[in-house]
Amino acid sequence: MPPDTTQALTASRYPGSPASLRRPSAPRWRNWAVAVGTQGLRAGGLILFLAVLGGFAIAAPAFLTPANLGLILAQSAVLGILSLGLTLVLITGGSDVVGGGIDLSLAGTLGLSAATFANLNQAGYGDGACVAAALAIGVTVGLMNAVAVVRLRILPLLATLAVMNICEGLELVVTENTTVAAASPLLDGLGQTGPFGVPVLGYVLLAVTLALGLASRRTTLGLRAYAVGGHPEAARAAGIVPERYVAASYVLSGGLGGLGGIVSVAFLNSATGGSADMLLPVVATAFLGFIFSRRLVPTVTGTLLAAVFLGSLSNGFQLLRLSTYWVNGIEGALILAVVGATAGLSKGRRA
């Protein structure tokens, strides 16, 4: 059920619950200011997105060709899938990056899962065993995060950072710090071009987004996850156990990390080191997705748009023969801007 429904249900069942405690209403001008600020940030994000696309289209005519747009979607597949995992954690844990939902282990999960897939592939195992092993690695990492955060009560920021280091160390052991090539019918299929000239990897990203979007907005579990992230005490009073949803979000996030590892091997035809470099783009994508939602909250569709936006930046810079290192600086600036703006508006709502 949506967060507002959870509060109403709680207030009716438990008159003394936090959801039924009425605070003095904020001044009308403040409510208007927050509403205008929220819509302004959202509109600004959409304008920026369209301006970037338009600028690249003018400077590089090949940018808007169907083949290049399909390539952008395929290039965004790994980043998008990992960012969707982080989005699930943000939905259930809240957007507080220290005490709320955060999963910094996704980049390490990607590297370890990709290395496992490639090594088993070279050892002669079939696609089924390689996929199962890569996904199992991801789910196991998710379980480690869940235990650390939910059972041991370690701050998510510290817990997932520690797990990321574990994954990176194991990745180096598995690959011996070398590139591990891989080839199989599955990888060949994922590397093909599908209908309308869009690579299969692009369709994989769209399929994962569609499934998670429907689950988060059209199912009871998804709506309760939003309630847990937005109003944990009210959700608890309504009979929901927040810890279960938080733990499940980390397990699902780890599974998506494993899937990202498989997609990465398909895109590169190998498992390569340096997976930690994906950490900043993943965090930037998940938080940038906030501005594509009506209430500046994490959403699956917002994350997809953010992933395509950052993929467009990298692709456009390549077409213009500009250094893509600038993208890292832009990603850092976007994180500061979005987190700062949403934090300010959130304080305005609570005031």
Side-chain angles (χ1 to χ4, degrees), residues 108-138 167 170-175 178-191 201 255-272:
T109 306
L110 162 75
L112 182 57
S113 297
T116 301
F117 185 101
N119 271 272
L120 290 178
N121 174 264
Q122 281 205 350
Y125 288 91
D127 283 328
C130 295
V131 169
L135 294 178
I137 289 292
C167 291
L170 291 175
E171 178 190 359
L172 293 176
V173 171
V174 172
T175 63
T178 61
T179 298
V180 183
S184 73
L186 173 65
L187 299 180
D188 291 339
L190 291 175
L201 291 179
L256 288 172
L259 177 61
I262 299 170
V263 172
S264 174
V265 174
F267 186 75
L268 300 173
N269 289 319
S270 63
T272 62

Side-chain angles (χ1 to χ4, degrees), residues 8-276:
L9 178 61
T10 304
S12 63
R13 290 184 179 178
Y14 308 94
S17 67
S20 64
L21 299 179
R22 297 182 178 274
R23 294 181 298 180
S25 59
R28 183 173 298 179
W29 66 266
R30 183 177 294 160
N31 293 333
W32 277 102
V34 171
V36 170
T38 300
Q39 295 306 315
L41 184 60
R42 185 183 182 218
L46 292 173
I47 292 172
L48 177 62
F49 183 81
L50 294 176
V52 168
L53 294 182
F56 283 139
I58 295 172
F63 181 77
L64 287 183
T65 60
N68 190 63
L69 293 178
L71 177 61
I72 291 174
L73 199 58
Q75 290 175 332
S76 304
V78 175
L79 175 61
I81 290 172
L82 294 184
S83 301
L84 287 171
L86 178 54
T87 299
L88 296 180
V89 175
L90 289 171
I91 288 173
T92 57
S95 56
D96 180 356
V97 296
V98 176
I102 194 69
D103 185 357
L104 300 181
S105 68
L106 276 162
T109 306
L110 162 75
L112 182 57
S113 297
T116 301
F117 185 101
N119 271 272
L120 290 178
N121 174 264
Q122 281 205 350
Y125 288 91
D127 283 328
C130 295
V131 169
L135 294 178
I137 289 292
V139 171
T140 301
V141 173
L143 285 171
M144 291 173 60
N145 287 327
V147 171
V149 172
V150 176
R151 291 295 184 186
L152 302 181
R153 304 291 182 181
I154 302 174
L155 286 176
L157 182 69
L158 298 177
T160 58
L161 183 61
V163 172
M164 181 190 73
N165 287 332
I166 294 174
C167 291
E168 288 181 351
L170 291 175
E171 178 190 359
L172 293 176
V173 171
V174 172
T175 63
E176 297 182 352
N177 202 23
T178 61
T179 298
V180 183
S184 73
L186 173 65
L187 299 180
D188 291 339
L190 291 175
Q192 297 297 315
T193 299
F196 309 107
V198 177
V200 173
L201 291 179
Y203 284 109
V204 172
L205 173 60
L206 294 177
V208 173
T209 301
L210 178 61
L212 294 178
L214 292 175
S216 64
R217 289 297 187 180
R218 302 296 180 183
T219 68
T220 301
L221 291 176
L223 296 176
R224 285 181 175 178
Y226 269 104
V228 167
H231 309 280
E233 295 304 322
R236 190 185 303 277
I240 300 173
V241 183
E243 290 80 6
R244 293 179 182 175
Y245 287 84
V246 172
S249 71
Y250 279 110
V251 174
L252 289 173
S253 178
L256 288 172
L259 177 61
I262 299 170
V263 172
S264 174
V265 174
F267 186 75
L268 300 173
N269 289 319
S270 63
T272 62
S275 60

Side-chain angles (χ1 to χ4, degrees), residues 52-53 56-57 59-76 79 267 307-325 327 331:
V52 168
L53 294 182
F56 283 139
F63 181 77
L64 287 183
T65 60
N68 190 63
L69 293 178
L71 177 61
I72 291 174
L73 199 58
Q75 290 175 332
S76 304
L79 175 61
F267 186 75
V308 173
F309 173 72
L310 293 180
S312 299
L313 282 180
S314 297
N315 181 271
F317 278 30
Q318 290 172 354
L319 290 177
L320 296 176
R321 297 183 179 180
L322 299 175
S323 174
T324 55
Y325 292 133
V327 177
E331 290 167 349

